[in-house]
Amino acid sequence: MSLINITYFNPNESFLVKAGKSDRERVTYWHCNNTENCEAYKAGRCVMFDGIFSVGRCPYGTKEKKIGFTKAARACGQLSREAKAKYPDLCYVLNRVNNFYRIGDYIFFPIGYIYKARFREWNSDFWGGENLVHIKYYTPEILKEICEFRPRAWLSDKEITTYQTKEIPMFLYKLKKYDEDMYNRLVEIYPDAETKLSSLSFVGKDAKLSTLKHGKVKVGTHVCDWDGEKLTYSRNPTIGGVNGTYYCIPDNDAYVEVLHNDTVTEETIFKE
């Protein structure tokens, strides 16, 4: 097992969640024996994260949690300080999965509600109970069933319409980028995939500017023109101040809001 990631919670350094005096320090060490055969790890991601689309467990990995002192104790923070000092390059180096990834003998399906899909009734080759499926089920027939599936809410039994209108088009978009041959095989038995993919809208999403085609984008509250090298913004005379045209050479990793689908390409990178 190789140590691949370290996460920690120090109640004395908690900003997003107010820690109580009885909350204890926690440090989690992530281990893996499959780094050479894991596309997720090579992309800086791991299915052992808990959350949307994340399994929380992996057949090739383990998490070791160490519990420290409470916030009220003088020694609180010792575990995280030791971890950061001993492994400075391994703290929070991995992120959640968000795409198709081959992970050893499994493949990750990036879509919600898969646990309700009909084919799960006879498929026992899942890991962690959610999206990590044995590679033998990565077929056009299973993908078709996922695309046709219409999940229903537990209490009201009403259809969860966003699955078909939003999740499936994005699922197909990611599939085509990941494995165009498999996408084409799916289209052969399920032509509706093309229609669903064409309905996908990226308007309102944040994308890496350098991966967008020329066109109008939004930076903060301003609509700018992107020509591939610089952003141009004309100041509104009604705002006051100095009117005129402003130019900006953005950093390579700058993100902007997409205003038109035609600025998006197969290479566009979106913010999580």
Side-chain angles (χ1 to χ4, degrees):
M1 285 281 190
S2 301
L3 182 62
I4 59 171
N5 192 44
I6 296 173
T7 56
Y8 55 85
F9 169 73
N10 182 347
N12 288 322
E13 298 177 351
S14 177
F15 300 105
L16 297 178
V17 179
K18 186 176 180 180
K21 290 184 178 181
S22 62
D23 287 338
R24 293 182 177 274
E25 178 186 18
R26 302 185 297 272
V27 176
T28 304
Y29 294 86
W30 306 43
H31 301 273
C32 179
N33 64 5
N34 187 53
T35 56
E36 293 300 315
N37 300 303
C38 180
E39 292 178 345
Y41 174 78
K42 293 176 181 179
R45 301 182 181 277
C46 182
V47 299
M48 287 195 290
F49 273 102
D50 296 310
I52 297 176
F53 292 172
S54 297
V55 176
R57 293 189 295 152
C58 177
Y60 306 104
T62 61
K63 289 191 287 187
E64 175 191 7
K65 183 178 292 185
K66 295 186 177 181
I67 307 298
F69 293 92
T70 64
K71 181 179 181 180
R74 182 176 299 178
C76 182
Q78 179 179 335
L79 289 179
S80 56
R81 286 194 296 271
E82 290 177 350
K84 288 186 284 187
K86 189 173 182 179
Y87 305 103
D89 298 328
L90 289 178
C91 294
Y92 289 94
V93 294
L94 298 178
N95 294 305
R96 287 178 170 81
V97 288
N98 66 343
N99 212 330
F100 283 92
Y101 293 110
R102 176 72 184 267
I103 301 172
D105 292 330
Y106 297 81
I107 190 161
F108 184 84
F109 283 0
I111 190 167
Y113 305 106
I114 192 173
Y115 63 93
K116 294 185 177 184
R118 187 172 62 254
F119 78 95
R120 289 183 54 88
E121 296 175 2
W122 49 263
N123 176 10
S124 61
D125 296 310
F126 284 78
W127 189 268
E130 299 237 358
N131 300 67
L132 201 56
V133 185
H134 197 279
I135 192 65
K136 66 184 178 183
Y137 297 109
Y138 180 52
T139 66
E141 290 76 19
I142 293 298
L143 292 169
K144 177 177 182 289
E145 185 168 338
I146 291 175
C147 290
E148 291 180 323
F149 182 56
R150 294 181 177 274
R152 309 189 76 84
W154 287 114
L155 298 179
S156 66
D157 198 38
K158 291 182 179 179
E159 181 183 344
I160 302 172
T161 57
T162 54
Y163 180 86
Q164 284 292 329
T165 60
K166 294 184 178 180
E167 293 208 35
I168 288 300
M170 181 57 72
F171 178 76
L172 292 169
Y173 173 78
K174 291 179 177 180
L175 173 64
K176 188 174 183 180
K177 289 188 69 173
Y178 175 75
D179 188 345
E180 189 167 6
D181 178 66
M182 178 60 78
Y183 173 79
N184 291 334
R185 290 171 60 193
L186 170 63
V187 171
E188 289 180 3
I189 65 170
Y190 184 60
D192 285 351
E194 294 275 67
T195 302
K196 291 186 177 183
L197 178 57
S198 66
S199 70
L200 180 63
S201 175
F202 297 101
V203 175
K205 295 183 179 295
D206 290 333
K208 193 172 184 179
L209 180 60
S210 60
T211 64
L212 292 173
K213 292 195 296 185
H214 303 177
K216 292 187 180 297
V217 297
K218 195 172 184 180
V219 181
T221 60
H222 304 305
V223 175
C224 304
D225 288 302
W226 168 240
D227 65 4
E229 295 183 1
K230 64 181 182 298
L231 287 166
T232 304
Y233 162 64
S234 296
R235 189 178 180 86
N236 189 334
T238 63
I239 296 178
V242 180
N243 302 325
T245 301
Y246 293 82
Y247 302 93
C248 171
I249 306 297
D251 293 336
N252 187 58
D253 59 352
Y255 280 79
V256 298
E257 182 180 330
V258 176
L259 292 180
H260 303 286
N261 279 333
D262 55 12
T263 60
V264 175
T265 73
E266 289 293 315
E267 306 303 320
T268 297
I269 298 174
F270 295 96
K271 183 179 288 187
E272 294 182 30

